[in-house]
Amino acid sequence: MGVAAFVNMRWRERHHNDNRVLFFFDGMRVRESLRGNGVGTLTLSAAMHAISSTYRMSNNHKTRIALLSVTNPHNKAMREVFHKLRWTSHEVMHVWPTPDIVLDAKRRNMRLMEVFDESNSITAPLREFSKQWTAVFTEGQILTAMKLLQQQGASYQRPLYYDVESAECASTFLKHKLALAERRSVWRLQIDGQLRGLIFVREIVVEQSEPCKHSLLSACVVDAQAAESCIVFATEHLALDVFNVVYDTPIRSHHISQSKLLSRVPSEPFVIYRHDGSQCDKVGVNMECTAVEPQTQRARLIRNDQP
Ligand SMILES: CC(C)(COP(=O)(O)OP(=O)(O)OC[C@H]1O[C@@H](n2cnc3c(N)ncnc32)[C@H](O)[C@@H]1OP(=O)(O)O)[C@@H](O)C(=O)NCCC(=O)NCCS
């Protein structure tokens, strides 16, 4: 029997959205030779079934659940799998720049901003504007900022995916030795008394399994100017050499294409999919689901009838 497909599942009791416990699905893969034969659909449906039945059993059916996942908008096969299993697209986030640009900068040992000529794009007013980012330290400050941004249309999904960045633990986490090792910080942008953005920064990524060796910024900003200022701030204030920024909603493709600075290099959107968790137990048949690292909520799914 061989492994036909793999999916990673994780959840946190404390991550609630719309009074539901959130489950995250990522890293789905089907063996290349088996793609396009329904294995992906079967795998995801079996995973949904496994999550729903296991969780409901351990919680006396009382708590409602919701499922979240992401994919690139160009990944038609994955989008089709979501569609068939009644997941709906929920939000779009943008990664700036694309991973190949970051890789190129690292390979050439250049600062990201040297890879493309930014001299005309960073104007003096933008540079001044970008100096307005200030550090925040407490859970209260972070939560208040997030609530204000939500009132301006932000959904702030990303911290739910990357739990170490969530408001609940950000202030505690900032004092943790790993956060210190990663030189984590949180910044907010306030102009004329109005909040325009919040950034979570990881200057160094300490991750044994997948060392990325560049800095990561998770930004929730409300307009293109604030989005541009994240890049200037990262380059000129934080002095980061190579980094990428994930923009949460409300930054959309048109903000990126309208910005001289952001549009100089390609960025990559990805779509968040959501399932309301209902009727998960009606899907997923003829599959054997094997947890391979139960403590990290990983599971691999093995199709019974594959050699
Ligand atoms: C995405 C992936 C998991 C899907 O698995 P799969 O076994 O191929 O999926 P299924 O066969 O169940 O369904 C795929 C559907 O997409 C359709 N599809 C595949 N490629 C397509 C394309 N280029 N355009 C439109 N539809 C496409 C298939 O026809 C099928 O629909 P159908 O059942 O109505 O014919 C698999 O292709 C894979 O491992 N890809 C590489 C890794 C990856 O991208 N993972 C997702 C990360 S979010």
Side-chain angles (χ1 to χ4, degrees):
M1 183 183 289
V3 176
F6 176 95
V7 65
N8 186 40
M9 299 179 269
R10 56 203 164 93
W11 61 281
R12 287 278 186 279
E13 281 282 357
R14 292 171 69 198
H15 281 168
H16 283 251
N17 179 286
D18 190 23
N19 285 329
R20 293 165 191 262
V21 174
L22 294 175
F23 287 83
F24 306 98
F25 289 69
D26 54 28
M28 177 141 158
R29 292 283 177 281
V30 168
R31 191 194 289 182
E32 216 166 332
S33 58
L34 298 172
R35 289 180 193 163
N37 292 302
V39 177
T41 309
L42 272 171
T43 303
L44 186 60
S45 64
M48 290 162 67
H49 183 255
I51 283 284
S52 155
S53 49
T54 311
Y55 187 75
R56 280 173 206 278
M57 235 183 314
S58 62
N59 285 277
N60 301 323
H61 298 256
K62 277 185 191 148
T63 318
R64 292 193 306 162
I65 62 172
L67 318 175
L68 288 172
S69 190
V70 293
T71 195
N72 188 299
H74 306 297
N75 194 335
K76 290 185 177 153
M78 194 61 223
R79 295 189 73 163
E80 189 58 32
V81 169
F82 284 133
H83 178 70
K84 283 193 281 187
L85 296 171
R86 292 186 290 110
W87 291 59
T88 50
S89 54
H90 179 53
E91 307 280 352
V92 180
M93 295 195 290
H94 291 267
V95 183
W96 184 99
T98 51
D100 52 337
I101 305 271
V102 171
L103 269 176
D104 185 44
K106 286 196 282 192
R107 206 171 23 236
R108 292 159 66 186
N109 208 15
M110 288 171 80
R111 297 192 83 201
L112 183 63
M113 299 301 266
E114 286 166 10
V115 174
F116 58 102
D117 177 20
E118 91 287 13
S119 49
N120 294 328
S121 317
I122 302 181
T123 58
L126 176 59
R127 192 165 269 128
E128 278 309 305
F129 184 87
S130 307
K131 288 181 183 162
Q132 307 301 314
W133 286 95
T134 52
V136 287
F137 301 100
T138 68
E139 183 178 320
Q141 287 173 320
I142 295 168
L143 272 175
T144 306
M146 286 170 90
K147 277 186 192 144
L148 288 169
L149 288 167
Q150 274 167 345
Q151 285 164 17
Q152 294 181 66
S155 67
Y156 233 102
Q157 287 292 336
R158 189 172 160 84
L160 296 174
Y161 277 91
Y162 299 92
D163 48 276
V164 287
E165 292 175 355
S166 74
E168 299 159 297
C169 55
S171 60
T172 315
F173 194 79
L174 287 173
K175 294 175 205 128
H176 190 278
K177 64 177 184 211
L178 177 61
L180 297 173
E182 291 195 327
R183 294 216 296 267
R184 281 176 180 257
S185 54
V186 186
W187 303 79
R188 79 173 162 210
L189 179 66
Q190 197 155 327
I191 307 283
D192 299 329
Q194 191 173 2
L195 190 70
R196 304 271 289 271
L198 191 67
I199 315 180
F200 292 85
V201 181
R202 290 166 83 180
E203 291 191 28
I204 302 164
V205 177
V206 180
E207 216 166 272
Q208 280 175 356
S209 57
E210 212 177 303
C212 75
K213 295 196 178 66
H214 64 268
S215 310
L216 301 176
L217 277 71
S218 177
C220 184
V221 290
V222 295
D223 52 45
Q225 191 183 27
E228 291 178 325
S229 78
C230 295
I231 295 163
V232 180
F233 172 72
T235 310
E236 300 197 348
H237 184 94
L238 297 174
L240 302 180
D241 290 334
V242 184
F243 59 91
N244 70 27
V245 187
V246 175
Y247 290 108
D248 209 312
T249 53
I251 293 299
R252 301 280 176 187
S253 301
H254 69 269
H255 291 115
I256 298 196
S257 56
Q258 279 162 13
S259 153
K260 214 171 164 190
L261 175 59
L262 295 169
S263 61
R264 283 192 77 85
V265 284
S267 57
E268 199 170 82
F270 56 92
V271 191
I272 301 176
Y273 274 84
R274 190 173 194 275
H275 188 281
D276 71 4
S278 64
Q279 308 216 324
C280 284
D281 39 2
K282 302 227 172 17
V283 294
V285 287
N286 196 26
M287 301 276 290
E288 178 192 321
C289 176
T290 311
V292 286
E293 284 174 45
Q295 57 286 58
T296 55
Q297 302 295 322
R298 280 176 193 277
R300 75 180 165 183
L301 295 149
I302 300 170
R303 195 174 175 187
N304 283 337
D305 56 355
Q306 288 305 321

